[in-house]
């Protein structure tokens, strides 16, 4: 039902309404940390919704890696792409997510340079909410990128023996590791405050992790020192864990443990560091 | 509307006016508004005046008005209403910006939706509610900034040049809103480069020049510091200006300012003189004695512009001699 005020002269309605607005809402309690984080996460997702271009990195890299590496290396090593996918796809999935993480760091560095933090500082919210909210939207991106890789794999003929539960478990492990990496790039971003530099540093770290791993080549064929590196490379263990879970080959609880320890360690170091650096931005 | 008094005679009474300008200009000392204080300060800056620093430095609110800011949190930054984070949400719609902001201020989901809807219709933005803010006009943006500042009714609202870049109609509208906000009991602290804006809106004005407060007070107080008025003399022949300058400086015992117009001079009359007419008569006689042909003589009430120029003139001179 319409009130008569709504159809009266606009100027009159406005005058009346603004005085009402001013008389109203007083601030009450501080929002909970989790509410604030979720709000920042929602805000980041709304930005993606209105400007889907932002998803380009999360879409292009998984597609590129999955298709390129499957046909390039797959053909050379195992004859048919279908057969090699079983070994390769969990690896390219791990690597794609690891690479996509660095763009989150670049976005954060961009926010630093445009003075977003200064404006946020007047809000009555927990400091870490902006960083945590960013991680929530990053998680959504990683899930999205993972879905692309898995669907492409299915199209190309991959049939995971682990079924949906195995795939979901693998994705969960990979996304968790990806979020720990995100925290590392967040710390880097707050230190160097330049998106291009964040990307450069991340590349220097991620390229050896990606290629000096067991993702493309069996470590048995490698020379001693390189093999030692591959064996401690956390991304190797993430890939192995993903393979075990997706193909239901089981047995290697060691890799899962390694992955979880690496994720926890990276988080334990980078989360407090990021929060401290974030607090110092003001 | 010109406020002649520092708030004692205001409707609603009982509100005190505090002087914050000095602290404002000194970044080391925080601004501490007390609970029921009303602060209306306008910083007027010359170029490179230090307003930038005020904006950048922000204002530390140690003793927050109830519930608005947490202790130690700052009201600061650039552009628009500081309580708002609208600036960076260009991709988001007006409605989304307000609901996000409401959540961050501790409103419930339902309260956010209601409040955002009310504010958008109150500020005449309902039609643009679902459009990304990036596509808003300058006036719409300022109105959204104001709406964002009111998402929870604040005790202190910091407006940083709220009408810059608006056309006269948009400016008048923002002025009207600012007046209402102040009348409703919110302390408004605003910066502006427009002196008429300060005259229109501010109860107390602090003139900030190169990061320092060079004067503060009501508009009337500032104007009275310039003197009872300003004498404007326009000559027939520009070549006679130096001579006229000299004659008037001696006769009126004041600083003569050559105007931008090559034929004109203006002289602030000395303070504390009641015989203004006699003074001017004397000066005119002297001009006639010196054979200076006068086209036009007017006695102007001092404007805030003149007050500002007079108040910042000293520092300009110091700068030149340094």
């Amino acid at each position: 039902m319409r009130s008569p005020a709504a159809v009266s002269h606009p100027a009159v309605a406005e005058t009346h309404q603004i005085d009402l607005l001013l008389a109203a809402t007083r601030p009450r309690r501080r929002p909970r940390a989790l509410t604030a984080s979720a709000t920042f996460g929602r805000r980041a997702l709304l930005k993606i919704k209105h400007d889907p271009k932002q998803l380009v990195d999360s879409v292009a890299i998984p597609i590129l890696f999955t298709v390129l590496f499957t046909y390039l290396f797959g053909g050379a090593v195992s004859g048919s792409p279908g057969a090699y996918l079983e070994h390769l796809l969990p690896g390219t999935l791990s690597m794609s997510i690891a690479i996509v993480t660095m763009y989150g760091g670049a976005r954060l560095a961009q926010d630093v340079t445009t003075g977003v933090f200064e404006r946020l500082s007047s809000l009555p919210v927990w400091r870490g909410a902006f960083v945590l909210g960013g991680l929530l939207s990053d998680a959504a991106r990683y899930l999205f990128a993972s879905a692309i890789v898995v669907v492409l794999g299915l199209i190309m003929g991959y049939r995971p023996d682990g079924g949906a539960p195995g795939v979901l478990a693998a994705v969960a492990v990979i996304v968790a590791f990806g979020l720990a990496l995100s925290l590392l790039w967040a710390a880097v971003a707050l230190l160097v405050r330049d998106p291009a530099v964040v990307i450069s540093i991340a590349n220097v770290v991620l390229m050896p992790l990606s290629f000096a791993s067991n993702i493309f080549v069996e470590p048995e064929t490698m020379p001693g020192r390189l093999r030692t590196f591959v064996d401690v490379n956390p991304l190797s263990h993430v890939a192995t864990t993903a393979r075990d879970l997706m193909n239901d080959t089981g047995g290697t609880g060691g890799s899962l443990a390694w992955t979880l320890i690496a994720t926890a360690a990276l988080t334990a170091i980078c989360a407090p560091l990021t929060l401290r650096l974030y607090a110092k931005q003001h | 509307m010109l406020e002649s008094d520092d708030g004692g005679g205001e409707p609603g009474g009982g509100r005190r006016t505090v002087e914050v300008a000095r602290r404002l200009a000194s970044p080391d000392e925080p601004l501490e508004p007390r609970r029921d204080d009303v602060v209306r300060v306008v910083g007027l800056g010359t170029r490179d005046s230090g307003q930038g620093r005020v904006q950048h430095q922000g204002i530390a609110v140690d003793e927050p008005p109830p519930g608005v800011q947490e202790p130690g949190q700052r009201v600061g930054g650039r552009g628009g209403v500081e309580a708002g984070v609208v600036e960076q949400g260009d991709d988001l719609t007006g409605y989304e910006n307000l609901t996000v902001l409401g959540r961050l201020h501790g409103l419930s989901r339902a309260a956010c939706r209601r409040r955002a809807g009310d504010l958008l219709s109150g500020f005449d933005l309902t039609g643009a509610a679902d459009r990304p803010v990036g596509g808003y006009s300058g006036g719409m943006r300022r109105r959204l900034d104001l709406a964002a500042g009111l998402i929870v009714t604040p005790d202190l609202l910091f407006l940083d040049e709220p009408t810059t870049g608006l056309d006269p109609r948009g400016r008048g509208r923002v002025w009207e809103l600012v007046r209402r906000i102040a009348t409703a009991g919110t302390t408004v602290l605003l910066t502006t480069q427009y002196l008429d804006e300060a005259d229109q809106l501010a109860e107390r004005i602090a003139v900030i020049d190169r990061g320092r407060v060079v004067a503060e007070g009501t508009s009337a107080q500032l104007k009275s510091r310039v003197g009872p008025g300003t004498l404007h003399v326009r000559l027939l022949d520009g070549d006679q200006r130096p001579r006229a300058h000299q004659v008037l400086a001696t006769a009126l015992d004041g600083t003569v300012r050559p105007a931008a117009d090559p034929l004109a001079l203006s002289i602030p009359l000395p303070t504390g003189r009641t015989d203004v007419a006699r003074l001017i008569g004397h000066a005119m006689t002297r001009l006639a004695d010196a054979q200076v042909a006068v086209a036009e003589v007017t006695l102007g009430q001092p404007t805030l512009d003149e007050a500002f120029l007079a108040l910042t003139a000293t520092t300009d001179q110091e700068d030149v001699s340094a």
Side-chain angles (χ1 to χ4, degrees), chain B residues 295-314:
Chain B
E296 194 182 317
V297 178
T298 49
L299 174 62
Q301 279 296 103
T303 64
L304 202 51
D305 288 272
E306 283 164 345
F308 178 65
L309 289 172
L311 291 165
T312 55
T314 351

Side-chain angles (χ1 to χ4, degrees), chain B residues 231 247-254 267-270 273 279-280 282-283:
Chain B
L231 185 67
V247 169
L248 289 171
T250 321
L252 293 171
D253 190 25
I267 311 98
L269 297 175
R273 294 290 291 259
L279 205 61
I280 294 169
H282 173 65

Side-chain angles (χ1 to χ4, degrees), chain A residues 14-15 17-19 21-22 24-26 31 35 42-43 46-47 50 54 116 118 122-125, chain B residues 56 70 73-74 82 88 91-92 96 99-100 103-106 115 118 121-122 153 155 173 177 180:
Chain A
E14 183 186 293
T15 308
Q17 222 164 1
I18 286 166
D19 288 341
L21 286 174
L22 289 166
T25 322
R26 303 305 289 182
T35 308
R42 180 173 145 247
R43 186 173 163 280
L46 283 170
K47 285 180 101 161
H50 290 293
Q54 290 189 38
V116 169
E118 265 178 31
S122 67
L123 292 168
V125 295
Chain B
H56 180 75
E70 293 297 309
Q73 281 206 326
R74 303 177 326 159
E82 288 316 311
Q88 26 122 18
D91 297 328
L92 271 60
E96 286 165 351
T99 50
V100 163
R103 288 295 275 164
L104 294 176
H105 275 284
R115 188 81 181 150
D118 288 352
S121 77
T153 312
D155 292 279
R173 221 163 148 183
L177 291 173
R180 280 175 190 285

